[in-house]
Amino acid sequence: MTTTSLPLFILGQGTDPGSERGVDCPGELPPASDPELVDRARRAKQALGDRLFVLGHHYQRDEVIQFADVTGDSFKLAREAAARPSAEYIVFCGVHFMAESADILTSDAQKVVLPDLAAGCSMADMATFNQVEEAWEALEDAGIADVTVPITYMNSSADIKAFCGRHGGAVCTSSNARRALEWAFGQGEKVLFLPDQHLGRNTAVLEMGMSLDDCVVYNPHRPPAPEALRDAKMILWKGHCSVHGRFTAQCVDDVRARIPGVNVLVHPECRHDVVTKADFVGSTEYIIKKLEAAPAGSSWAVGTELNLVKRLAGMFPDKNVTFLDRTVCYCSTMNRIDLPHLVWALESLAAGQVVNQITVDADTAHWARVALDRMLTLI
Ligand code: 13P
Ligand code: SF4
């Protein structure tokens, strides 16, 4: 796929606690031009041996993903982190909320490191703890809090996960959102879905047969009237992914006109009209498996983050894999983790210095773990 001549957009800059810290590796970041970076990363990894486990989300750059011991979507990576009790250091090549989840799911003796603390997520930032507490009070005032189950997408801060744990809810990912919603509707009559309205709406309407009228959007700055909350089955938080939000129904029409017979394959963080027009929808793991199984010569327009789409185009040269949008768009915060930051983190660990450790306080971790464990049992 040729992408370099297209306009370049980088979206998704988060302002979550990670990016607000601002300082990550004062004065010690190796220059990106250092030709030794790959060897340095290799040597540091080798020196750390089994004490180190590197997780890489599919949206990471190629220069980083080559050092991942395991790659995956957020669900797979959460499970992998939980399954490595012997690793002293978990280096998380992903974004802040993923590293928080890894810290929650690992023991106190294990240290989770995020190579660049500015790798946040703008979607996660769209639901703050205070806003969600206020929303819950609005549900109490409307008389529906005791029949509402809060479900939060993995892409949320630890305190939102803990909120869900405290209120009988669970976490979900794009791989298991339907199962999480089925579970939730077995516990109560309504769901407060945080923070991605699109994943919530797409799952409820396209996978579970609800109607758009069953859904109400909860704008924390202008909450819906109590009657609207009482009438809805799905209360969708007004959050979205700025990267997946770029894909439009027009992109789908355009690519179908450009490439006859193209299969449109999108992530459920895309808008409802895009997902409705697509042929296939699923998490990043699903997208990869779908392309693996596709016949040679078939054409695919993929609506998800560009690092992954470019990698897939390279992995399957016998298939025509293209990016769904005409403009190039990376997730800026996923892209914050680059080789210099990874080398800096690994060399610091090899020298005995733990840098950029992500820790979640004990009470938050306890309740977030309750919500995460509910998810992990929904296999
Ligand atoms: P998944 O890894 O759950 O597919 O989510 C995509 C994403 O946007 C992660 O930030
Ligand atoms: Fe957040 Fe979207 Fe980037 Fe994922 S792709 S980290 S949801 S901004």
Side-chain angles (χ1 to χ4, degrees), residues 301-314:
V302 185
T304 193
E305 207 271 344
L306 185 57
N307 277 312
L308 175 60
V309 181
K310 280 167 67 178
R311 192 171 306 126
L312 290 170

Side-chain angles (χ1 to χ4, degrees), residues 12 59 95 97 120-123 155 241-244 269 331 333-334:
Y59 296 166
V95 290
F97 69 79
C121 166
S122 55
M123 179 202 286
N155 301 19
C241 166
S242 45
V243 176
H244 291 89
E269 286 175 19
C331 172
T333 47
M334 283 280 179

Side-chain angles (χ1 to χ4, degrees), residues 2-53:
T2 307
T3 51
T4 44
S5 60
L6 297 170
L8 175 69
F9 290 88
I10 300 184
L11 288 172
Q13 181 65 56
T15 55
D16 77 359
S19 44
E20 275 166 14
R21 276 185 207 108
V23 178
D24 53 344
C25 39
E28 296 169 64
L29 194 67
S33 57
D34 181 348
E36 296 287 302
L37 283 181
V38 169
D39 281 345
R40 286 173 64 174
R42 251 189 226 129
R43 280 197 299 272
K45 248 196 113 180
Q46 215 166 7
L48 288 159
D50 291 344
R51 296 166 67 204
L52 170 74
F53 192 58

Side-chain angles (χ1 to χ4, degrees), residues 57-59 72-77 94-95 97-98 120-121 123 153-155 172-176 196 199 241 243-244 267-269 282-287 304-305 308 331 333-334:
H57 189 271
H58 290 308
Y59 296 166
D73 63 6
S74 42
F75 181 61
K76 181 173 166 192
L77 294 180
V95 290
F97 69 79
M98 297 180 182
C121 166
M123 179 202 286
Y153 189 20
M154 186 67 123
N155 301 19
C172 76
T173 71
S174 52
S175 307
N176 61 13
D196 183 11
L199 178 65
C241 166
V243 176
H244 291 89
H267 194 281
E269 286 175 19
S283 73
T284 44
E285 279 292 305
Y286 171 88
I287 288 171
T304 193
E305 207 271 344
L308 175 60
C331 172
T333 47
M334 283 280 179

